[in-house]
Amino acid sequence: MNVRAAALRSLSNIWAAAFIIALSAMLPRQALAERLALVPQMKLRVNIVQWVPSKGEYQHWDSVSGEFVVSTDGTVTLPLLGTFAVTEFDTRELASEIVERFKTKAGLLDAPDATVDVVEYPSIFLVGSVAAPGAKPFRPGLTVLQALSLGGGVFRPDSNSGLTGQLATVGELEDVRSQILRHTARLSRLRAEMAGDKEISFPPEMKVGSDEAVLVEIVAQEKIIFRARRNALERQLQNLAELQGLLSSEIDILGQKTQALEGSIKLSENELSDVKSLVDRGIATVSRRSELERAVAALRSDRLDQITAIMRGRQSISEAMRSEVGLRDKFQTDVSTELQDVQASLERLRIKEEVLKKTLVLTPATSSNGGMALSSADPELSFAVVRKTKDRVEEFAASERTVLAPNDVVKVTLGERSKRSAGASVAVSGVSR
């Protein structure tokens, strides 16, 4: 049966490998590479499990599993494993790296199993002659033409929609700026918690162009949260310190009792020695000697109980100290994770703010008679992609089939022939008038 099962598993693995190879051949190379690429602001889900033969089940390492965001500098911070760069890895390589780091850090004999899945990709951004510019959701293999469809196609202004679209963009820009203000205040509070400061130091740029009432409300809220979280941590640490003090006092009292018992035992042993000599000479009775022997044995038993109680007290102090260290570590880990999420969200909001400002600049004004409206014919468009690499930002011409990457900015503009046709149309109508 074992040989047959092994053969079946081997055959299944061969078919699975053949299927993966065939699927890889069918997918475009660039799309496949983009699907596996790890970039800043990408949200990952890490899951680590280990098979326990003695229990016949998988053990989940929840302390190092969860969802994490790749920071703007291309690093990720995992509990116990620390911070390390991930932009050189795909999801499978990152899983292998996590396994090796966790095995070394935890001192495991057998390597666990780890999986890394992409939960959320960073957005791409559309600007220019698009019906609905702004941030759009990214998926692996997304092309420029597909991104254009997500933006509602080519922008076709009419006599009424231009002003309405601009007002909506202005409103969205104000909302984004309000969110940036709140994220900046929250980031200042988290940095103060991470550093152990007693007060929050807010950056001066928060006051530039900000509504005074809104700013005061945001600062007050963050200060309340800061004090509440700090007081909660201090109360827990104070309780542990008081517990250690009580245990130390108890150990001191037990030590004094032990010394008193040592004196009583010494006196009883001296008395027993004298009684033994008297019994040998027939002056004292055997019952008196037996009574003293039982008293000495009881005193020695009490001394052992006191020593055991002292050891238990010291063990409780060690547990309280470990709890204190664990409480501080958990607080730092929670603050670090929240800080990383806020930094990523703030970066996305700032990118969105820049896109909205460029949208307001690039959106053409619409005249009352619709003179700037496009003709009914399909316009000739040109595309350009702005992409950020490790050390620079580059812009290159693109086509409808160009595969996009996360955080790409796609510029959509009218071609030269379309612009000349539109200008000729206006000129002809002017002559006829």
Side-chain angles (χ1 to χ4, degrees):
M1 293 297 290
N2 292 335
V3 175
R4 182 179 181 183
L8 290 174
R9 284 196 300 268
S10 177
L11 184 60
S12 300
N13 293 336
I14 293 174
W15 279 106
F19 177 75
I20 292 174
I21 293 173
L23 184 61
S24 300
M26 295 172 62
L27 291 174
R29 292 181 179 270
Q30 187 176 2
L32 185 61
E34 293 292 344
R35 181 178 64 84
L36 299 177
L38 297 181
V39 296
Q41 303 177 17
M42 181 180 289
K43 180 179 285 188
L44 306 174
R45 180 184 294 115
V46 178
N47 188 25
I48 301 179
V49 297
Q50 187 172 19
W51 175 252
V52 182
S54 59
K55 296 181 180 180
E57 62 183 17
Y58 278 98
Q59 176 184 357
H60 291 267
W61 294 94
D62 296 331
S63 58
V64 290
S65 300
E67 294 185 356
F68 307 92
V69 179
V70 180
S71 64
T72 54
D73 58 354
T75 62
V76 68
T77 302
L78 300 181
L80 185 66
L81 304 184
T83 302
F84 55 96
V86 297
T87 52
E88 300 298 329
F89 301 133
D90 57 22
T91 53
R92 185 176 302 176
E93 292 170 346
L94 178 58
S96 301
E97 179 70 14
I98 290 174
V99 166
E100 293 300 325
R101 287 176 176 264
F102 183 69
K103 179 182 177 183
T104 303
K105 192 74 175 180
L108 300 177
L109 296 178
D110 297 327
D113 296 324
T115 59
V116 177
D117 300 314
V118 179
V119 178
E120 181 180 343
Y121 287 91
S123 303
I124 55 103
F125 304 91
L126 298 178
V127 296
S129 301
V130 186
K136 304 301 174 184
F138 174 83
R139 60 174 178 78
L142 183 69
T143 63
V144 170
L145 183 60
Q146 292 170 343
L148 181 62
S149 68
L150 293 177
V154 182
F155 177 69
R156 297 178 181 273
D158 54 35
S159 59
N160 297 320
S161 63
L163 181 59
T164 302
Q166 288 184 355
L167 290 176
T169 304
V170 170
E172 187 177 1
L173 181 60
E174 290 298 323
D175 180 67
V176 168
R177 286 174 174 171
S178 176
Q179 294 184 45
I180 289 176
L181 189 64
R182 295 182 183 276
H183 278 65
T184 303
R186 186 180 177 189
L187 188 64
S188 300
R189 189 250 302 170
L190 291 172
R191 285 174 175 169
E193 291 178 344
M194 179 68 71
D197 298 336
K198 295 183 178 180
E199 296 293 337
I200 305 176
S201 178
F202 295 98
E205 58 268 18
M206 282 185 59
K207 300 180 181 180
V208 178
S210 302
D211 187 355
E212 186 68 24
V214 175
L215 181 62
V216 171
E217 179 186 359
I218 292 174
V219 170
Q221 290 176 351
E222 293 299 330
K223 287 183 177 179
I224 291 173
I225 297 174
F226 177 76
R227 286 193 296 267
R229 286 162 62 101
R230 186 185 63 183
N231 292 338
L233 178 63
E234 289 179 351
R235 282 195 301 269
Q236 295 178 10
L237 294 175
Q238 183 178 1
N239 292 335
L240 290 174
E242 291 176 354
L243 177 60
Q244 295 178 37
L246 291 174
L247 291 172
S248 298
S249 300
E250 182 180 356
I251 290 174
D252 293 339
I253 294 173
L254 291 173
Q256 295 174 8
K257 288 184 178 181
T258 303
Q259 291 178 359
L261 283 174
E262 291 286 351
S264 299
I265 291 173
K266 188 174 182 179
L267 292 175
S268 297
E269 288 177 345
N270 292 335
E271 185 179 358
L272 178 60
S273 177
D274 295 338
V275 169
K276 284 182 178 180
S277 63
L278 293 176
V279 170
D280 293 339
R281 289 182 290 176
I283 299 175
T285 62
V286 176
S287 60
R288 175 59 179 165
R289 183 185 65 185
S290 300
E291 182 181 352
L292 287 173
E293 288 176 346
R294 286 193 295 270
V296 171
L299 290 173
R300 289 175 177 173
S301 177
D302 292 341
R303 182 182 61 181
L304 290 176
D305 291 339
Q306 297 298 329
I307 293 175
T308 303
I310 290 174
M311 295 176 64
R312 289 176 180 172
R314 290 173 179 171
Q315 182 180 4
S316 299
I317 290 177
S318 298
E319 291 177 357
M321 294 175 64
R322 286 195 298 270
S323 298
E324 180 181 351
V325 173
L327 185 63
R328 293 182 185 275
D329 290 344
K330 184 179 184 302
F331 182 80
Q332 290 291 326
T333 300
D334 293 342
V335 171
S336 176
T337 303
E338 189 176 359
L339 180 65
Q340 190 178 32
D341 292 340
V342 173
Q343 287 176 334
S345 299
L346 184 60
E347 185 69 21
R348 288 194 293 267
L349 287 172
R350 285 173 176 166
I351 294 175
K352 187 175 181 179
E353 180 188 22
E354 292 298 322
V355 171
L356 290 174
K357 289 192 294 186
K358 291 180 180 179
T359 300
L360 289 176
V361 174
L362 296 177
T363 300
T366 305
S367 62
S368 59
N369 60 0
M372 291 295 295
L374 296 176
S375 63
S376 59
D378 291 335
E380 181 181 355
L381 300 175
S382 61
F383 306 98
V385 175
V386 179
R387 179 170 298 171
K388 182 179 180 181
T389 58
K390 291 183 179 179
D391 52 351
R392 60 175 181 169
V393 177
E394 59 179 359
E395 180 176 346
F396 57 90
S399 66
E400 295 179 348
R401 297 182 180 181
T402 301
V403 179
L404 299 176
N407 292 319
D408 278 355
V409 178
V410 181
K411 294 182 178 180
V412 182
T413 56
L414 292 175
E416 292 297 329
R417 187 176 61 185
S418 296
K419 292 181 179 179
R420 287 197 301 268
S421 298
S425 176
V426 173
V428 171
S429 65
V431 172
S432 63
R433 286 194 299 271

